[in-house]
Amino acid sequence: MPNIRPLSAELAKKAADELFEKPERIDEDLAALRAWLAKSPYLKSRTDDQFLMMFLRGSKHSLERAKEKLDMYYTVRTALPELMRNRDPEETKLLELIRMGTAVPLPNTVTPDGPRIILVRPGTYDPSKYTIQDVFRYNTMMADIMMREDDNLIVAGQMGILDLSNCTMAHFLQFSPTFVKKATMWSQEGSPLRQKGFHYVNTPSGFEMVYNLFKSFLNEKNRSRLFVHGSNLESLYEHIPKSMLPTEYGGDAGPIQDIVDSWAKKMIAYKEYFKEDDLYGTDEKKRPGRPKNADSLFGLEGSFRKLESMVNLRPVTEALHEKAKRELNEKPERIEEDLAALRQWLARTPHIRARIDDQFLVTFLRGCKYSLERAKEKIDMFYSVRTAIPELMRNRDPDAARIREIVRLGVGLPLPLTDGPDAPRVMLIRPGIYDPKQYSAEEVIKVSTMLNDILMLEDDNMVIAGQVGILDLANVTRAHFLQFTPTFVKKMTMMSQEASPLRQKGFHYINTPSGFETVFNMFKTFMSEKNRSRLYVHGTNLESLYQHIPKRLLPKEYGGESDSLQTITSTWEKKILSYREYFLEEDQYGTDERKRVGRAKTADSLFGMEGSFRKLEVD
């Protein structure tokens, strides 16, 4: 006779009706599984009746499916030693997580043959202290105990409640695509348990990012069992009665802490079981055919190739792709990991409020040639400088009258063509077309920052190959030059050099008037030696300019063959207006210097009378 727990009448009926369980065949099926295991030397498995029975039930008593599930159960576990090995319930971190009750099975089911309800509360742990791997190890231990003890779970399945109250962006950033793939494979292909539904409550901002990531790896049946209730517990009660829920959720099942304390004792009682569990798994050297390892299960092949598209980046041209690899040290297989590292750092850096989308962050990786530390420094300086100059970086509404007027002047224009598929973007700057009596230099530069922000997001030539500037000083007067105070020059050069991920590949000055040298030498004072060597002064000699920038790239007004200045200006007016919501949103990002560890970076420390800028007082 098989050595298994007898089921309640209700569960026995459900097992017969839904799992095709025939008590008279159980002994024979268990023997068949053991015989198969004996002929599978790569697979070292527990063989007690209760353990094997959950695979038969989880596969609706299909012997072949039970074999596949048992194989995958141990294969996935062997490939995840960081989650499935050394699971000591008395190890400090695990014990702390157990006592927090990050996940707990609720004691009651809705009906005698109903699924087990699991309450998951990730907001109870501190992501700066515990990794998602720590939390998941605890969850696997809880699941292993339930698989041995809980017939409702095995026969009727499980239903989850994910309470996201107190979850922060730092929690969500722990869910890299690689980890999500591992977790979903463990819970789907590598588990004999049946998921009967998942309910999300108290969902915060940012939830959709992780939710969609998980959904992309779930099969259609499991996707249809997901329910999002937000903060509406009444909606939850329509699926899970109050009588099942803890007091803290308006229910009648008692305080959560009582349930947590009961499970803490149970887990510690299983200490020897978990120690013994390290003996089981697969030896892939003995598997006939191709081994199943972490690379084949979770790497960039098979169904997991989807992860290549999980990094949400625009594909670049082949020419730019080669340039990025050659000049910027870009390795496509590392991008996901590097982006995740930047997000993790930002989550642990409370003084920076930054955009975290892939396309934005990869600009800094590329601008720093994939040095993570330099990219962090650049992001910090990018937001520090912007916060310190609100007169340039705040209230940039493209629909504001004065901003629209300056846009329509076309003071700064990116030219539409580049000198080859992997060549830098050419920027044409014409300060002489604005009236310094009507507009300040700050207003004009504010508009130029808006163009730059759009180019950072859209223009792969600029981000990968850099930018070349043409500064046309025709019609520039003394009044224009007088707007460029030493303080303002310092702000501009710091914003465009230390605080920008874009690479300056050259600057060409044309139609230079009398007095130009004064401002030119002032700018050079603040530039690095490398950037100083990339400056070219052509005067009124456009033939000299053509030696560096071919005519076909230049507007007709410069003897070129490209679009007219008016056409380019009109195109950019429409583009900037289309980004209105983006620029209104921008005001929420920056630094909070009160939260910075160490010395604050303020306007005084960045642009004031100290450091290299003190030289200006001597000159």
Side-chain angles (χ1 to χ4, degrees), residues 206-417:
F207 165 70
E208 290 78 10
M209 178 178 75
V210 175
Y211 179 66
N212 290 329
L213 198 57
F214 267 101
K215 278 181 71 175
S216 68
F217 295 116
L218 295 175
N219 58 38
E220 181 57 38
K221 184 168 69 174
N222 282 339
R223 281 199 294 269
S224 70
R225 292 170 171 171
L226 304 180
F227 305 88
V228 179
H229 302 284
S231 57
N232 183 2
L233 290 186
E234 292 297 329
S235 170
L236 175 67
Y237 300 154
E238 293 173 13
H239 299 267
I240 300 173
K242 286 184 179 184
S243 57
M244 301 295 104
L245 297 167
T247 309
E248 292 85 345
Y249 292 82
D252 308 318
I256 290 175
Q257 197 56 50
D258 289 354
I259 305 170
V260 170
D261 291 344
S262 172
W263 265 91
K265 291 174 187 172
K266 187 184 289 287
M267 281 204 173
I268 291 169
Y270 267 79
K271 180 180 171 75
E272 289 305 313
Y273 177 89
F274 290 119
K275 184 177 179 182
E276 185 185 291
D277 216 45
D278 286 354
L279 301 173
Y280 303 108
T282 61
D283 183 346
E284 295 301 324
K285 292 175 292 187
K286 296 180 180 178
R287 183 189 290 275
R290 188 182 180 191
K292 292 181 180 177
N293 52 35
D295 281 344
S296 64
L297 291 167
F298 316 121
L300 292 171
E301 58 178 89
S303 63
F304 195 44
R305 191 167 286 146
K306 289 169 66 179
L307 276 180
E308 289 179 328
S309 63
M310 294 310 298
V311 175
N312 189 20
L313 296 178
R314 227 179 4 260
V316 299
T317 65
E318 186 61 30
L320 284 174
H321 175 65
E322 289 303 316
K323 183 180 279 276
K325 288 199 297 183
R326 186 175 63 252
E327 296 185 9
L328 308 183
N329 308 315
E330 184 161 296
K331 295 179 172 62
E333 68 275 11
R334 276 190 48 197
I335 292 176
E336 178 201 335
E337 182 183 339
D338 288 344
L339 289 171
L342 282 183
R343 289 196 189 90
Q344 290 277 15
W345 168 73
L346 284 167
R348 296 192 300 266
T349 309
H351 74 273
I352 302 176
R353 299 183 304 277
R355 292 186 181 274
I356 57 168
D357 56 280
D358 292 349
Q359 198 70 55
F360 177 78
L361 293 179
V362 83
T363 299
F364 290 87
L365 289 171
R366 286 169 171 164
C368 297
K369 298 187 177 181
Y370 281 85
S371 162
L372 268 175
E373 292 312 307
R374 282 178 56 208
K376 292 173 187 177
E377 291 168 6
K378 187 71 78 174
I379 291 171
D380 191 333
M381 188 61 81
F382 177 85
Y383 280 116
S384 297
V385 169
R386 288 177 167 229
T387 301
I389 46 177
E391 69 275 17
L392 298 181
M393 303 308 306
R394 290 289 183 260
N395 303 312
R396 296 184 298 165
D397 182 352
D399 215 15
R402 288 181 73 79
I403 287 179
R404 289 196 75 164
E405 289 169 12
I406 295 169
V407 170
R408 285 170 178 161
L409 290 174
V411 178
L413 293 171
L415 300 187
L417 302 176

Side-chain angles (χ1 to χ4, degrees), residues 73-89:
Y73 174 88
Y74 277 118
T75 300
V76 170
R77 287 175 171 235
T78 302
L80 297 174
E82 71 276 20
L83 301 180
M84 303 306 306
R85 290 290 183 258
N86 304 312
R87 296 182 298 165
D88 181 355

Side-chain angles (χ1 to χ4, degrees), residues 141-190:
M141 296 164 73
M142 182 186 70
D144 282 7
I145 294 172
M146 293 170 68
M147 285 193 291
R148 291 199 70 79
E149 293 190 354
D150 191 342
D151 292 320
N152 280 76
L153 181 78
I154 298 298
V155 174
Q158 61 183 332
M159 185 174 290
I161 302 172
L162 181 58
D163 178 1
L164 293 167
S165 57
N166 301 316
C167 277
T168 65
M169 187 55 72
H171 288 89
F172 290 123
L173 291 176
Q174 291 188 330
F175 287 84
S176 69
T178 303
F179 174 75
V180 170
K181 177 67 176 179
K182 290 177 179 180
T184 49
M185 184 167 276
W186 174 85
S187 62
Q188 196 164 287
E189 286 92 337

